[in-house]
Amino acid sequence: MADFWRPEMAVEQISTLQHEVLASGFDLGGLRLRNRIVMAPMTRECAPDGVPTAEMANYYARRAEGGVAMIVTEGAAPNEEGRFGRNVPRLYGADALAGWERIVAPVKAADAAILAQVWHVGAFVPSMIGMTDSLDVTRVSPSGLAAPGRLIGKAMTTRQIARTVRDYGQAAREAREVGFDGVEIHAAHGYLPDQFFWSASNLREDCYGGNIAARCRFAAEIIAECKAQAGSDFIVTLRLSQWKQLDFLAHVAESPEELSDWLMPLMKSGADGFHVSTRRFWDQAFPSSEASLASWVRRLSGRPVIAVGSALMDRDFKAEGGKQRGDLVPRTLRWAAEAIEDGEFDLIAFGRALLANPDLAQRLVSGDVTGLRDYDRGYLDELK
Ligand SMILES: Cc1cc2nc3c(=O)[nH]c(=O)nc-3n(C[C@H](O)[C@H](O)[C@H](O)COP(=O)(O)O)c2cc1C
């Protein structure tokens, strides 16, 4: 019980949580961030035919005015076949880009940075999770698979790979033109770049398949192309995870050595940082040490790292009931602050806690945390 949030102990608790660590500024590849608190990307499917709306602009502006240092937007598609559904925003087309411009301006006016998350689903389609595919497109992936035994799409030809890489680059260039500070390549959770990383979904025998260095080639080309098209000073981060939507226990790297081989080509191609997605950010990554995956990525890459997964939450978003609700748990905040102080990672992202509390960051930074709301599924039904 003592570990749970009680209003009468909130102020005292936040000060012992070393909130000054969370309040300290940070430099992400030349981008100055006012504190260590990031908004995690969250798909809302509220963009009719892919065009971001005024409601979305208000929703993001509230989190920026609420003190987050940086927003990573919900996933936005770089091309037609990469879209999850019709109401997921596009990062191409004049109408969609104009919509993004109306989102970015107020966010930056509120002194927050903003990265567009570029999300290509590959062969992971809505039907995989019991939804209807609202798009009539041929889905593609490295070998047509989204996961072992889940043949949905067509294996990409090298020509299709080259075109897709160019689409990512164009999305980055246009993101820059509408004011974004950078892009985050969604290379986690079993989507397209991760379908290349994961040996179980990448059975290719050309230069994009084989050992981990070859399986990284697609993502490495994307990073390089984004830099080439948008400029070398445009921030390009990568979201990575071991777990996949279709296999929570999957591993791309079984050891720190394999993780190092995974990161190396991505660093060489110019990644400015990594967003390490775990279901619980403090979980041990490998049997050989207690360190978390974020901490290993920080150690092996030397690049800025954002950790995410159950910050402030009593259950992870893939756990039973985790999508429905989540109670606030202050001790996870202390763990995040301590990890940042110890140099294990640099930034902590919040998902559900920020849906429930648009002013979460300001409250954490100021220490006034009374009245923060637990997470409830109902917040997903409204874009506020
Ligand atoms: C409604 C919802 C939508 C999400 N959409 C995305 C997404 O578009 N891209 C992504 O990388 N992760 C997505 N995620 C995962 C979150 O970014 C985050 O990793 C996850 O919620 C764990 O953080 P939390 O425990 O703080 O909520 C989504 C999560 C939720 C709850």
Side-chain angles (χ1 to χ4, degrees):
M1 188 62 189
D3 271 327
F4 285 80
W5 207 283
R6 280 179 282 132
E8 72 273 16
M9 67 189 291
V11 172
E12 183 259 330
Q13 188 138 21
I14 191 77
S15 64
T16 60
L17 294 173
Q18 303 155 316
H19 75 94
E20 68 276 9
V21 175
L22 295 173
S24 61
F26 183 70
D27 188 293
L28 176 69
L31 181 63
R32 190 68 198 156
L33 303 181
R34 61 181 156 182
N35 59 49
R36 305 300 181 108
I37 299 166
V38 172
M39 178 175 180
M42 281 176 287
T43 290
R44 304 304 308 272
E45 298 196 67
C46 288
D49 198 26
V51 181
T53 62
E55 287 73 27
M56 287 168 64
N58 287 337
Y59 158 81
Y60 284 115
R62 280 186 81 195
R63 273 74 189 173
E65 286 158 9
V68 296
M70 182 166 79
I71 288 171
V72 183
T73 69
E74 63 205 279
N79 63 22
E80 191 67 9
E81 74 232 11
R83 292 170 79 182
F84 180 74
R86 200 161 284 288
N87 295 331
V88 164
R90 286 179 273 122
L91 202 48
Y92 61 91
D95 52 352
L97 289 160
W100 281 119
E101 196 162 19
R102 289 190 290 271
I103 288 177
V104 170
V107 166
K108 295 183 77 172
D111 223 13
I114 182 163
L115 306 185
Q117 192 187 55
V118 193
W119 179 34
H120 190 306
V121 296
F124 184 95
V125 292
S127 61
M128 296 271 175
I129 48 173
M131 295 167 67
T132 309
D133 196 341
S134 56
L135 295 162
D136 184 20
V137 287
T138 304
R139 301 297 187 168
V140 293
S141 81
S143 305
L145 297 167
R150 312 293 292 271
L151 184 71
I152 291 290
K154 288 227 165 1
M156 292 169 91
T157 62
T158 47
R159 192 191 291 263
Q160 279 173 323
I161 290 177
R163 183 179 51 74
T164 306
V165 168
R166 277 199 304 278
D167 290 342
Y168 273 90
Q170 182 170 333
R173 178 167 54 73
E174 293 183 327
R176 181 168 207 163
E177 284 166 11
V178 298
F180 279 106
D181 297 297
V183 288
E184 174 176 280
I185 308 304
H186 192 348
H189 306 175
Y191 297 111
L192 186 62
D194 203 19
Q195 289 159 21
F196 276 86
F197 290 150
W198 193 25
S199 58
S201 53
N202 181 349
L203 312 178
R204 298 181 75 94
E205 291 178 353
D206 62 1
C207 61
Y208 293 95
N211 64 19
I212 182 66
R215 301 197 312 271
C216 280
R217 189 184 182 108
F218 176 65
E221 286 181 358
I222 289 172
I223 297 165
E225 183 70 13
C226 289
K227 291 279 185 183
Q229 287 208 39
S232 57
D233 58 340
F234 191 59
I235 301 291
V236 180
T237 62
L238 212 81
R239 199 174 223 225
L240 298 175
S241 69
Q242 299 265 36
W243 68 271
K244 318 295 165 215
Q245 292 277 15
L246 296 171
D247 185 350
F248 293 162
L249 301 177
H251 275 76
V252 173
E254 298 288 352
S255 64
E257 293 71 30
E258 286 182 13
L259 179 60
S260 176
D261 293 344
W262 184 7
L263 296 171
M264 206 57 71
L266 309 172
M267 287 154 54
K268 276 197 194 138
S269 65
D272 291 296
F274 296 100
H275 191 168
V276 179
S277 172
T278 50
R279 292 171 62 189
R280 292 161 296 269
F281 72 83
W282 59 89
D283 276 356
Q284 178 174 347
F286 303 110
S288 56
S289 116
E290 284 183 1
S292 68
L293 190 63
S295 166
W296 274 113
V297 172
R298 180 78 186 77
R299 217 182 286 182
L300 293 169
S301 72
R303 300 279 157 92
V305 165
I306 309 169
V308 70
S310 303
L312 269 180
M313 290 285 117
D314 70 337
R315 71 197 81 172
D316 71 80
F317 86 119
K318 290 292 176 189
E320 200 177 335
K323 282 206 167 117
Q324 301 305 318
R325 52 171 297 100
D327 291 339
L328 296 179
V329 184
R331 65 174 180 272
T332 61
L333 198 60
R334 174 162 51 79
W335 296 342
E338 286 171 0
I340 291 172
E341 194 169 28
D342 294 346
E344 290 184 30
F345 53 79
D346 305 290
L347 300 155
I348 180 78
F350 296 84
R352 291 164 295 159
L354 256 168
L355 286 181
N357 302 283
D359 60 349
L360 177 71
Q362 209 167 56
R363 305 284 218 91
L364 297 181
V365 165
S366 71
D368 173 17
V369 291
T370 47
L372 283 178
R373 303 192 297 182
D374 293 330
Y375 171 71
D376 184 282
R377 168 76 179 75
Y379 301 132
L380 282 186
D381 298 333
E382 51 188 42
L383 197 64
K384 286 195 178 148

